[in-house]
Amino acid sequence: GRHYSEIVDVDSFVDHHILNTFPKNPDAFRLSGYFHKDREGPLQAGPLWDFDRTMGCAGGETRPADPTWWDPSNQTEDTTFFFEHGFWLGFFRDPSFQAAWVSRWRELLAGPLALEQVLGQIEAWEEELDEAADRNFARWSDYPPRGDSFHGEVLLLEDWLTRRHAWISACLETSDPLACTGS
């Protein structure tokens, strides 16, 4: 008989959903969704986990390669539908949750998830990891870098994120962002 907002930290669930949807994480809402709770506090979403099949990664799957669509449903029926799985369906049927989700997307895409911010962070990490990358690819030789180098791998990631950012930004400008489909 209580509204979910009385027992969950709605903002943490909005952020959790967005931060798993941005990289198009097929495991986030079914296989690798975690929550925590302080003794007297509301249920919080997180921590974020399990991004091995996201952001155009290698690994033999085609679904991570497409930066469009909210979820991988354009590739296979054997996936987690980001707006329909489990309790997420109830959240996204609530117009106030949907409005909070869209509003937060707009806020994040203009701030911490602005393309310049995201690409700047990747470039900083590339510089920090550059020396270790050769050792990594030597150790894990079954997984060579695409693009023939660590920098080539980074360029693929940046391209995927640039296209994902543009697609999401365009969807948020439509009258029904959740109905937005891929290119």
Side-chain angles (χ1 to χ4, degrees):
R2 294 167 56 185
H3 191 266
Y4 67 83
S5 63
E6 296 178 51
I7 58 174
V8 305
D9 179 339
V10 175
D11 292 342
S12 78
F13 277 77
V14 167
D15 282 353
H16 187 270
H17 196 277
I18 288 170
L19 293 174
N20 276 292
T21 302
F22 185 55
K24 199 174 174 183
N25 187 351
D27 297 334
F29 308 115
R30 175 174 57 163
L31 303 173
S32 296
Y34 297 98
F35 311 100
H36 64 279
K37 182 182 179 317
D38 289 335
R39 187 174 304 266
E40 298 299 322
L43 184 65
Q44 306 245 352
L48 298 171
W49 193 262
D50 194 8
F51 290 88
D52 63 323
R53 301 187 314 150
T54 66
M55 297 180 277
C57 70
E61 291 188 54
T62 57
R63 61 183 169 185
D66 184 356
T68 64
W69 297 79
W70 288 113
D71 55 41
S73 60
N74 64 311
Q75 296 290 323
T76 178
E77 288 293 318
D78 179 29
T79 191
T80 303
F81 294 86
F82 288 5
F83 306 117
E84 300 172 14
H85 188 76
F87 59 83
W88 292 104
L89 177 62
F91 283 160
F92 281 100
R93 283 187 174 164
D94 180 354
S96 65
F97 187 89
Q98 271 194 46
W101 185 83
V102 169
S103 176
R104 184 66 169 150
W105 261 116
R106 289 181 176 138
E107 178 185 343
L108 291 171
L109 290 175
L113 293 182
L115 190 57
E116 314 79 53
Q117 295 281 63
V118 171
L119 297 181
Q121 183 62 64
I122 290 170
E123 289 164 10
W125 286 335
E126 178 185 16
E127 186 176 319
E128 184 177 336
L129 296 171
D130 187 54
E131 185 271 325
D134 290 337
R135 290 192 317 273
N136 176 73
F137 290 119
R139 170 65 178 93
W140 304 105
S141 58
D142 288 346
Y143 303 98
R146 298 169 300 161
D148 298 324
S149 68
F150 175 56
H151 181 67
E153 190 76 38
V154 170
L155 291 175
L156 290 170
L157 174 62
E158 289 178 334
D159 176 65
W160 191 94
L161 287 167
T162 297
R163 292 184 294 136
R164 181 77 170 158
H165 193 284
W167 181 82
I168 290 171
S169 296
C171 287
L172 293 174
E173 297 306 315
T174 67
S175 62
D176 185 6
L178 276 61
C180 201
T181 59
S183 56

